[in-house]
Amino acid sequence: MTNVLTLTKDLIGKKVRVIEMVDEPFPVPSGTIGTIYSVGFDVICVNWENGRNIGLIYDEDTYEILD
């Protein structure tokens, strides 16, 4: 799946599912769901349901925003 969303503050509070993290030595497992709590220049910061807090890199990692 391609990341097609423009990064905006509107993403804060939305659920996201990771599909693949690139260039991360200890990635969040594929399929893990989390809640977006901050959006930066090229990072979407997520509180993952497995207790981790690691960001998704826009245009590198693959994820889907859930409604």
Side-chain angles (χ1 to χ4, degrees), residues 46-60:
V46 181
N47 288 324
W48 299 101
E49 291 179 348
N50 66 1
R52 295 194 55 202
N53 293 325
I54 187 170
L56 293 165
I57 307 299
Y58 182 74
D59 275 345
E60 285 188 27

Side-chain angles (χ1 to χ4, degrees), residues 7-48:
L7 295 179
T8 67
K9 300 291 181 190
D10 294 336
L11 292 177
I12 295 174
K14 291 199 177 232
K15 297 285 187 183
V16 61
R17 177 184 298 124
V18 67
I19 298 168
E20 180 183 23
M21 288 185 143
V22 180
D23 294 330
E24 174 59 43
F26 302 103
V28 172
S30 179
T32 304
I33 295 173
T35 303
I36 298 170
Y37 68 88
S38 180
V39 178
F41 176 69
D42 63 349
V43 177
I44 300 170
C45 300
V46 181
N47 288 324
W48 299 101

